[in-house]
Amino acid sequence: QWSATQYRELIQSYYASKPADVSAVMCFGNHDQSRLVTRVGEQEARAIAVLQCTLPGVPTMYYGEEIGMHDVNIPSNLRKDGFAENAAMGSRDAERTPMQWTTGLQAGFTTAESSWLPIADDYAERNVATESKDIHSFLSLYKSLLSMRSHYEVLRTGTVTFHDAKTDILHYTVSNGSDAISILINFSPERQSVRPPQAATILLSSLLDVSEQPTSDNYELRPSEAVVFLHEREKERYGE
């Protein structure tokens, strides 16, 4: 369920139950459940990408998440999942279709006349080659997130603290004692006014279109938007 409260409780419970010497694994999709875009929506899946790449641990993506692939309706005569008829979850082929690489034949997955499962109808727009040229695409978002994670050590080695916020807002800070980065995610279908960290700079929005920095104590999050804020002291440390 797309709920700030449920995500907070799930993540806190996971960290609390994990042995201290074991790295957390941040994985929100796999081959046994519908793809993120199908389960929660496109903008919501982008917000989850931010969540996944800013929480302490190892971000683990299921193939295709990085380009926003969705479930594909598979006719019964083309299904491959051997457990489809008996498993409670039904056929899992919808989330197992071939990776979409290009606009070419079979989305660049194979040179054969047909692939092992049908390709999504929108593969010509949703593929690695096309999204590589779009600065606002899912792929550009994941590239930006992983680059940010590589640049800011605190995102790899810090600890997470959750803050009280509005019901539909997930607000947490990742810090390591000297550095801190805060993330705010709007789980509401409406715009929400939030208070960012004092004198903070926006590093990234899940929509990849923020061109201006906060000019007051309030910032308006758009529906299902996630925003990453760099605290003032870290700006000096990293030469921002």
Side-chain angles (χ1 to χ4, degrees):
Q1 182 178 351
W2 184 245
S3 160
T5 300
Q6 289 201 10
Y7 270 78
R8 174 174 173 165
E9 290 176 351
L10 175 66
I11 294 166
Q12 287 181 313
S13 175
Y14 173 59
Y15 279 123
S17 63
K18 180 185 67 64
D21 60 345
V22 174
S23 295
V25 176
M26 291 300 130
C27 183
F28 293 90
N30 60 57
H31 67 288
D32 285 332
Q33 58 183 327
S34 290
R35 290 184 172 277
L36 279 174
V37 167
T38 299
R39 277 189 282 136
V40 299
E42 290 212 9
Q43 301 308 325
E44 292 80 2
R46 294 176 73 102
I48 288 179
V50 174
L51 178 70
Q52 182 177 39
C53 292
T54 55
L55 286 171
V58 181
T60 305
M61 299 81 174
Y62 180 51
Y63 83 91
E65 287 178 351
E66 71 273 40
I67 59 170
M69 284 178 61
H70 53 75
D71 286 3
V72 177
N73 183 32
I74 309 295
S76 58
N77 64 311
L78 296 179
R79 292 174 185 168
K80 306 295 184 184
D81 186 3
F83 295 95
E85 295 182 2
N86 300 318
M89 67 185 70
S91 175
R92 298 163 293 181
D93 288 329
E95 61 265 23
R96 298 178 175 184
T97 57
M99 180 66 180
Q100 296 156 201
W101 294 102
T102 70
T103 59
L105 179 69
Q106 304 301 332
F109 181 78
T110 177
T111 56
E113 293 184 2
S114 62
S115 55
W116 67 296
L117 283 170
I119 305 291
D121 291 339
D122 63 349
Y123 79 89
E125 294 79 36
R126 200 179 297 267
N127 63 74
V128 174
T130 298
E131 292 197 17
S132 293
K133 303 173 185 177
D134 180 359
I135 62 173
H136 298 113
S137 68
F138 264 95
L139 186 59
S140 292
L141 173 61
Y142 272 97
K143 285 183 175 180
S144 296
L145 285 166
L146 293 175
S147 176
M148 181 179 69
R149 186 178 178 87
S150 177
H151 183 65
Y152 296 101
E153 182 182 355
V154 63
L155 291 175
R156 305 189 306 275
T157 63
T159 57
V160 62
T161 301
F162 287 90
H163 307 290
D164 292 333
K166 296 179 180 179
T167 303
D168 294 322
I169 301 296
L170 183 65
H171 180 193
Y172 60 95
T173 298
V174 181
S175 61
N176 58 11
S178 59
D179 300 332
I181 289 177
S182 288
I183 298 88
L184 287 102
I185 304 176
N186 182 10
F187 280 72
S188 168
E190 308 292 336
R191 289 176 175 263
Q192 294 282 339
S193 180
V194 296
R195 176 166 292 184
Q198 187 174 9
T201 297
I202 294 177
L203 288 179
L204 177 144
S205 162
S206 57
L207 303 179
L208 294 181
D209 63 353
V210 173
S211 59
E212 297 182 2
Q213 297 297 329
T215 56
S216 68
D217 290 337
N218 291 314
Y219 181 81
E220 194 169 76
L221 287 171
R222 289 165 289 182
S224 300
E225 181 183 20
V227 177
V228 181
F229 292 91
L230 178 68
H231 290 216
E232 178 67 28
R233 62 180 183 273
E234 279 65 57
K235 292 166 59 179
E236 299 175 0
R237 172 180 168 84
Y238 290 101
E240 301 292 342

